[in-house]
Amino acid sequence: MKLLPALAMLLTMAVMVSADGVPTVVTYVPHDKVAETMVKGGSIVNDHGLVVLANRRGAGEVEVHEKTNHIFIIVEGEAVFVTGGTLVNARDTAPGQRRAASVQGGETRRLTKGDVITIPAKTPHWFKEVPTQTIAYYAVNVDHD
């Protein structure tokens, strides 16, 4: 009878170890490194399919990622952000990555400091307008198979 709980625990651990988006080590990034990265943009955590980016950007192209789920945490600025819709003149930019100049349809939101938005894989998303010239945000990216 004791074998069943032990077997279940081992199976759970095996699934977790092989799962993408699950951290494998403790990662500490001091605030000065985070602030420095936020200025230029880039990765602050990259561990087994879990990526945390510090980004500052203006308006851009529509993006679609086949295997990447996003959580955006807005820390500065504002933007008109579109999710969903149909890509206009889409092109592949890398395996599992598509971009386009715009979308038809979709849902428009105004993002500002303190907002959090999730974007599932395969969902078009677009910083259509950035009236503050740049928007700063953390992007928590979790890849899946």
Side-chain angles (χ1 to χ4, degrees), residues 4 13 20 23 25 33 42 51-54 56 61 65-66 68 72-74 76 79 83 97 105 109 114 123 128 135:
L4 188 57
M13 288 172 57
D20 285 338
V25 298
K33 175 70 174 164
V51 178
V52 179
L53 303 172
R56 180 177 300 276
E61 293 186 299
H65 316 289
E66 283 297 310
T68 302
F72 289 172
I73 304 161
I74 310 304
E76 182 183 302
T83 55
Q97 308 291 321
R109 296 174 179 85
T123 302
K128 181 179 181 181
I135 185 163

Side-chain angles (χ1 to χ4, degrees), residues 55-115:
N55 287 322
R56 180 177 300 276
R57 63 177 290 174
E61 293 186 299
V62 181
E63 298 180 12
V64 178
H65 316 289
E66 283 297 310
K67 296 182 178 184
T68 302
N69 301 285
H70 292 303
I71 302 169
F72 289 172
I73 304 161
I74 310 304
V75 296
E76 182 183 302
E78 65 180 67
V80 174
F81 191 70
V82 180
T83 55
T86 303
L87 299 174
V88 175
N89 296 323
R91 67 192 188 288
D92 293 329
T93 57
Q97 308 291 321
R98 302 197 84 201
R99 293 198 179 212
S102 65
V103 294
Q104 288 184 323
E107 187 169 350
T108 301
R109 296 174 179 85
R110 180 165 298 279
L111 301 181
T112 61
K113 180 179 179 177
D115 289 344

Side-chain angles (χ1 to χ4, degrees), residues 1 16 50 93 121 132:
M1 209 56 174
M16 288 187 69
L50 171 66
T93 57
T132 53

